[in-house]
Amino acid sequence: MKTSVIGYPRIGKDRELKFASEKFFKGELDEAGLLAAAKKIREEDLLAQKNAGISYISSNDFSFYDNVLDTAFLFNVIPQRYKALGLSELETYFAAARGYQGDKGNVKALAMKKWFNTNYHYLVPEIDDDTVITLTGTKPVDEYLEARQIGVETKPALIGPFTFLKLARFTGSKKIADVSSKLTEEYIKLVSVLASKGAELIEFDEPSLVKDLDAEDIALFKNIYSPILENKKGVKILLQTYFGDIRDIYAEVIKLDFDAIGLDFLEGRKTAELIKTNGFPKDKTLFAGLVNGKNIWRNDYRKTLAALDEIGVSDVVLGTSCSLLHVPYTLASETKLSEDYKKHFAFAEEKLTELSEIASISGTDYANSEIFKNNQKLFEGRKDSEDKDVQAKVAAITDADYVRLPAFAEREKIQKEILGLPLFPTTTIGSFPQTQDVRKNRQEFKKGLKSKEEYVEFNKKKIAECIKLQEEIGLDVLVHGEFERNDMVEYFGENLNGYVFTEKAWVQSYGTRNVKPPIIWGDVSRKGAITVEWSKFAKSCTNKPVKGMLTGPVTILNWSFPREDISIKESILQIALAIRDEVLDLEANGINIIQIDEAALREKLPLRKSDWYSEYLDFAIPAFRLVHSKVKPETQIHTHMCYSEFTDIIPAIDAMDADVITFEASRSDLLILDSLKANNFKTEVGPGVYDIHSPRVPSVEEIVTALTKMRAKIEDSKLWVNPDCGLKTRGNEETVKSLTNLVAAAKQIRG
Ligand code: GLN
Ligand code: ZN
């Protein structure tokens, strides 16, 4: 059986691309230097795959920043404002990716969005009325030839035209239908160039096919691909899909003249069924995505081989479920993690071995093979992963645990009385600037260069200063500042049983930013009090209310590598119980306002609307309630979400039953407020009054204007005044100025 990889990590094992790019941005490395660094990474990546014996290896999966942006540049979909800077091609590309501020001008970057249901972000192409779609780039051709030069025959991987158009923003009067045939022509040209250079198979990535599609979408897809397939000039075309199944278009897709079709059997719950019901044409090859490109656990060969046996298609290639971009490079870089753990993980490099191993025994009498037996040993149970206590607690959860009493309206009254806050109370989202000294303190402590006492003492000094500052500014509900955390998930993971951490398991989040998600290894429980000391100390510094600050279970799960041996729901409940212990502990220690951040709740909504509730919200929202349902009526629960793009799930957000929710609103057009009103939103709200993603200081008038708009839609008694997210990436100076103006604005409208 042959094997295929959709895409490989591209940041370099030691994040070489990040460091080279950053040097280039600072002018410490020239363009030739950056190009050379990139070439080296590509070569290493290709050879790793070749040496592992992978049959179909992708080229053009590399990117300096993002593949969608690469595709835009390939077809000249470059807004004039970037071209007008008159920079080199690579610099123009980076200007679109990161914005440009310098002697040639001042432009913001293209918008960035999450790539389907992953934590990777792409740049949103802009198509305006002046856009002339033309094949002007050569990247796929260059990278195909470069690979061949080092002896690796590849399939050039392209983001397909359907997905590209679906992801693009149309900023002028043109719509998809006005440009799709021109884009198709240009793809045809590209296919013919690749064919002339010797490419035998070209991969068209079309993940947009796994979303809900209507008749218009299906017609568009056919209109795009019919001409491409009629003009393929002897090249074979692989239609590659991932992140789900293609139930809305499968029956149509198999009628088209694709030579191969790649389907995801892991996230695509209906993939196997679709093949059974509709069949799979004998003249096509099926690329079966069975090795997980998103998670880091070893593949269970029994399941995979059984799935392969059951497919019932004669020509099958074994592949990854999606690009390996979403997993780290290699376990070989993990020197601290013991074999007991490591043997259960497979990062990109180890997945290559899995592909080859499975392919080598598929179709044989594998049950007695060493490969199979060794693999199965891994699934006999894992060291330390079970905690009977935790399991019993989850099993004992009853419906009542999901309900906070008394009901919201009654609590609201009690809290207003006890807290005695003014109208339009002012607060922040939690973190204060993480200045150099704050980071240094943490790093030195982690490296053992600082004692625990010194570390704590420094943080307490910071907290005391932060409280004093907030008092001076005149904020109503204070925070401790979060100086102890570098990351809102990692920090909690480190304080929970059941988590495992890596040293170099970086995954690209966007451009030069990589994240190192912790791994949920086993049953999760709280090791001990996590934030109580800090919050208690902060409270001792002031007579004003201090808000405790936690990360919620859904966000903790969504930003970790989840387990595969128990359900996501079960894992979320375990985390919820652990965080609940912390909530009750804070409350017992006199903290009567507690914020439970769910920054990532919105982003894991399933790709298909029909799955939103049954596959996600139906357990994610109750899990949040479980965290706070046992607090006293007078304890006020806040939550925070980063994006306000929850217009279509407002009832679900209200059902979190928090007392106050703060969210980002300053960059959106406040449309969300209309929906809040229309849905009779009960929870008190703090729509961010200014954008913390920029160092700009908002004026008092500006904030008053924003608040006035909000007051038109939100009852005065429910409106809070706050920035739209944490202040950790900001500097001290602009923070003080901005918050001072925020307080002044609140006072003005109170008057
Ligand atoms: N409490 C966190 C902070 O203020 C929230 C961060 C977030 O929403 N991403 O930094
Ligand atoms: Zn936020």
Side-chain angles (χ1 to χ4, degrees), residues 664-735:
E664 188 220 289
S666 62
R667 281 185 299 179
S668 60
D669 40 17
L670 297 178
L671 269 180
I672 176 98
L673 303 181
D674 292 314
S675 324
L676 293 179
K677 194 174 160 78
N679 283 280
N680 241 324
F681 201 67
K682 70 173 194 318
T683 315
E684 296 187 5
V685 289
V689 294
Y690 77 87
D691 178 14
I692 60 90
H693 303 86
S694 136
R696 210 178 136 264
V697 175
S699 67
V700 179
E701 296 72 51
E702 215 177 303
I703 301 176
V704 168
T705 309
L707 285 168
T708 310
K709 278 191 201 151
M710 293 171 189
R711 288 180 68 191
K713 311 281 177 185
I714 297 166
E715 282 169 50
D716 285 353
S717 64
K718 285 196 190 286
L719 185 58
W720 285 67
V721 182
N722 45 264
D724 67 4
C725 196
L727 301 164
K728 76 176 189 193
T729 56
R730 295 272 60 88
N732 274 328
E733 209 188 300
E734 74 234 27
T735 296

Side-chain angles (χ1 to χ4, degrees), residues 297-298 331 338-346 354 377-378 381-383 521:
W297 297 94
R298 283 296 313 267
L331 278 165
S338 87
E339 245 337 281
D340 286 339
Y341 292 104
K342 280 207 276 192
K343 68 181 181 200
H344 291 281
F345 301 144
E354 293 191 328
K377 271 188 218 146
L378 297 170
R382 285 192 277 118
K383 186 175 173 269
W521 167 263

Side-chain angles (χ1 to χ4, degrees), residues 389-581:
D389 254 18
V390 173
Q391 293 172 3
K393 276 187 193 148
V394 171
I397 298 172
T398 64
D399 287 352
D401 289 310
Y402 294 112
V403 184
R404 185 171 172 204
L405 292 172
F408 177 85
E410 202 172 319
R411 282 175 353 235
E412 194 179 28
K413 241 182 271 154
I414 299 172
Q415 289 166 15
K416 287 227 187 288
E417 235 172 76
I418 292 201
L419 293 171
L421 294 168
L423 204 53
F424 314 114
T426 54
T427 191
T428 62
I429 308 304
S431 59
F432 266 68
Q434 291 249 334
T435 41
Q436 203 51 47
D437 54 336
V438 174
R439 291 173 194 278
K440 196 166 155 239
N441 181 51
R442 256 194 339 254
Q443 280 155 9
E444 289 185 344
F445 173 54
K446 276 209 164 152
K447 283 189 194 141
L449 300 171
K450 226 177 195 177
S451 71
K452 174 107 198 231
E453 289 70 33
E454 288 169 307
Y455 167 75
V456 169
E457 195 189 334
F458 176 90
N459 273 348
K460 287 195 169 167
K461 194 180 105 232
K462 277 288 179 188
I463 292 173
E465 284 168 14
C466 185
I467 293 284
K468 185 152 167 275
L469 179 69
Q470 294 172 77
E471 283 185 332
E472 281 165 8
I473 292 173
L475 288 155
D476 300 309
V477 174
L478 315 190
V479 296
H480 76 283
E482 299 183 21
F483 304 110
E484 73 286 1
R485 345 190 155 158
N486 76 61
D487 178 280
M488 62 190 290
V489 168
E490 190 178 51
Y491 176 73
F492 284 89
E494 281 169 355
N495 287 287
L496 295 173
N497 294 311
Y499 262 90
V500 164
F501 296 87
T502 55
E503 287 163 83
K504 297 205 168 167
W506 297 98
V507 176
Q508 189 174 25
S509 169
Y510 62 85
T512 52
R513 184 168 157 77
N514 307 305
V515 293
K516 199 155 59 70
I519 300 171
I520 306 179
W521 167 263
D523 293 331
V524 173
S525 60
R526 198 176 67 135
K527 285 182 188 164
I530 305 172
T531 62
V532 176
E533 256 336 281
W534 306 124
S535 290
K536 233 169 78 178
F537 176 74
K539 191 158 172 64
S540 74
C541 300
T542 179
N543 292 322
K544 290 204 164 179
V546 170
K547 178 161 71 165
M549 199 57 60
L550 307 174
T551 303
V554 186
T555 298
I556 292 182
L557 184 111
N558 285 350
W559 285 346
S560 307
F561 284 116
R563 287 168 72 174
E564 289 180 347
D565 58 334
I566 64 172
S567 68
I568 295 289
K569 177 181 170 185
E570 175 104 4
S571 256
I572 290 192
L573 290 178
Q574 291 184 357
I575 301 168
L577 289 177
I579 301 298
R580 167 158 93 170
D581 289 346

Side-chain angles (χ1 to χ4, degrees), residues 188-219:
I188 292 172
K189 282 187 203 155
L190 177 59
V191 168
S192 102
V193 179
L194 286 167
S196 73
K197 302 290 179 195
E200 287 165 17
L201 177 70
I202 301 177
E203 172 184 311
F204 278 72
D205 285 9
E206 290 288 10
S208 282
L209 292 188
V210 309
K211 298 183 81 166
D212 292 317
L213 304 177
D214 58 21
E216 204 179 314
D217 295 321
I218 294 171

Side-chain angles (χ1 to χ4, degrees), residues 429 488 597-599 640-643 662-664 692-693 724-726:
I429 308 304
M488 62 190 290
D597 289 325
E598 283 293 15
H640 165 72
M641 289 174 50
C642 283
Y643 303 99
T662 57
F663 54 85
E664 188 220 289
I692 60 90
H693 303 86
D724 67 4
C725 196

